[in-house]
Amino acid sequence: MLIETPQIDLKSFEHACINVINNKYWFHETSAEGFPGQAFALEIEKILYHIHSQYQDILVFKSSTFGNVLVLNGIIQCTERDEFAYQELITHLPIMCHAKPRKVLVIGGGDCGVVRELIKHLDEGVDEITMVEIDDMVIKLLAKFLPGMAKFHNHPRVNIIIDDGFKYLKSLSTQTHDKYDVIITDSSDPEGPAEDFFQTNYFKLLSNALNPDGIVIMQSSENIWLNINYLKQLMQKAKQVFANVAYSQCYMPSYTSGQLGLIVATNDTSNVLNIPTRTFSADKELELFKYYSSSVHQASFVLPTWANKTLNHN
């Protein structure tokens, strides 16, 4: 399917998240459950695309300050300005924590940003990359409107499967298959098609699909400033399945409150997750990364005292 750029009149376009304030058009991200009492807004220059796919409401717009923006079900997923921060940290934390991350599975990640980052490790430890995304419309739209993220969506060494990630993992539990070294869960927030990704049973499926020293990482949907009690519950679910669980945070100005949390887990108790197992030279880090470094890796696990007490102490 070829995505053509439609001509959408912003003045006549209607969407629940778009409001007019002082003759300017604003996208407002609000959530009564996720972050009650606050919102995040971006000024809109142009609506690039809007569709109700089989699974979700998809909006792409050009903002005045953050470039092109992808929105799923009213929640910002990525912007051209700051996407690299999240994509780099969720990818390189587990990859650099694993001595031989040969086989990698990405659940979700339709924007293909994680795939772009994994490509940097091909033949540098990573040999196989598989991505399972439920909504191929997201891939097609990102290839059109955020090509800097999706530039490797058709890479010959990336196996993209259009399927429900949860069902895909369930199918692995009934098959004899090679286990994964790293699984990256890059899902949207826990509503709609991603709701199952935040339950204890999902962690069990992840553990089943991993090698004994395998590592999984997932976006936590919350950070310490929004709903730390929900975050604590999510980490407790992970700890019911994995022996070694840690919480990392990423600075993301386009996410409500400016941060996003990542939960990293493994059953390898000898792996000190906040210290990278493998490192690159400073020159190579500058060549490969805009956000990640071995120092950022370690610093991302450092929490304020009250948050550390809530999440890491019974």
Side-chain angles (χ1 to χ4, degrees):
M1 175 182 175
L2 179 65
I3 299 294
E4 297 183 358
T5 304
Q7 297 297 320
I8 300 176
D9 181 14
L10 182 56
K11 293 182 179 179
S12 60
F13 181 73
E14 294 184 359
H15 191 282
C17 295
I18 296 178
N19 302 283
V20 182
I21 302 175
N22 296 328
N23 295 319
K24 293 185 177 182
Y25 291 83
W26 291 84
F27 169 85
H28 281 87
E29 178 180 303
T30 60
S31 173
E33 296 182 1
F35 35 89
Q38 59 181 303
F40 178 75
L42 287 176
E43 184 182 350
I44 300 172
E45 281 192 9
K46 183 180 181 181
I47 302 297
L48 299 174
Y49 207 92
H50 179 245
I51 190 173
H52 292 278
S53 76
Q54 180 181 353
Y55 301 100
Q56 54 203 340
D57 180 82
I58 307 175
L59 174 67
V60 184
F61 68 88
K62 180 181 180 182
S63 73
S64 62
T65 52
F66 278 73
N68 291 353
V69 180
L70 170 69
V71 178
L72 299 181
N73 294 327
I75 304 296
I76 292 174
Q77 303 301 307
C78 53
T79 80
E80 285 185 301
R81 178 179 175 181
D82 65 356
E83 54 83 9
F84 65 89
Y86 168 78
Q87 308 296 340
E88 288 191 14
L89 202 62
I90 197 173
T91 303
H92 305 307
L93 280 183
I95 293 297
M96 301 304 282
C97 270
H98 199 292
K100 295 181 179 179
R102 186 183 67 84
K103 190 173 181 179
V104 183
L105 173 65
V106 183
I107 298 295
D111 55 41
C112 296
V114 168
V115 165
R116 179 194 65 201
E117 296 305 313
L118 287 171
I119 294 294
K120 299 174 182 179
H121 295 276
L122 279 178
D123 301 323
E124 292 276 356
V126 173
D127 294 330
E128 298 181 30
I129 302 170
T130 299
M131 185 182 90
V132 182
E133 165 62 42
I134 193 172
D135 196 343
D136 64 343
M137 180 57 70
V138 175
I139 301 173
K140 294 170 182 175
L141 287 173
L142 268 289
K144 174 72 175 181
F145 297 111
L146 284 90
M149 294 186 69
K151 61 183 179 179
F152 294 125
H153 72 282
N154 56 0
H155 193 282
R157 292 180 64 182
V158 177
N159 178 28
I160 295 182
I161 300 171
I162 304 303
D163 198 359
D164 182 318
F166 190 83
K167 292 180 180 178
Y168 180 80
L169 285 172
K170 286 183 70 175
S171 72
L172 295 182
S173 66
T174 61
Q175 302 173 10
T176 301
H177 66 95
D178 291 336
K179 303 284 187 176
Y180 291 97
D181 299 303
V182 172
I183 301 179
I184 300 171
T185 295
D186 183 19
S187 70
S188 52
D189 288 339
E191 51 190 57
E195 186 172 0
D196 287 335
F197 296 158
F198 295 82
Q199 307 301 325
T200 303
N201 191 40
Y202 182 66
F203 288 107
K204 293 178 180 178
L205 292 174
L206 290 171
S207 179
N208 175 74
L210 284 172
N211 283 316
D213 61 349
I215 301 172
V216 63
I217 189 168
M218 67 180 294
Q219 70 97 347
S220 68
S221 175
E222 300 290 355
N223 63 58
I224 60 175
W225 299 103
L226 293 179
N227 189 342
I228 197 169
N229 290 327
Y230 170 84
L231 182 56
K232 181 178 181 179
Q233 292 171 11
L234 191 60
M235 289 192 66
Q236 288 173 340
K237 292 177 182 178
K239 289 176 181 178
Q240 291 176 27
V241 178
F242 291 97
N244 186 0
V245 179
Y247 176 81
S248 170
Q249 53 188 352
C250 177
Y251 296 113
M252 287 291 296
S254 63
Y255 291 165
T256 303
S257 84
Q259 290 183 6
L260 187 75
L262 304 169
I263 292 177
V264 194
T266 179
N267 279 313
D268 181 2
T269 55
S270 67
N271 193 330
V272 183
L273 295 170
N274 64 338
I275 300 176
T277 302
R278 300 182 300 122
T279 58
F280 293 135
S281 68
D283 287 342
K284 190 166 185 178
E285 286 184 344
L286 286 172
E287 175 189 345
L288 293 178
F289 309 130
K290 295 172 67 177
Y291 187 92
Y292 179 86
S293 69
S294 59
S295 296
V296 168
H297 183 126
Q298 296 178 64
S300 69
F301 290 91
V302 178
L303 301 178
T305 302
W306 64 273
N308 185 55
K309 180 180 179 181
T310 301
L311 296 180
N312 296 322
H313 298 278
N314 295 325

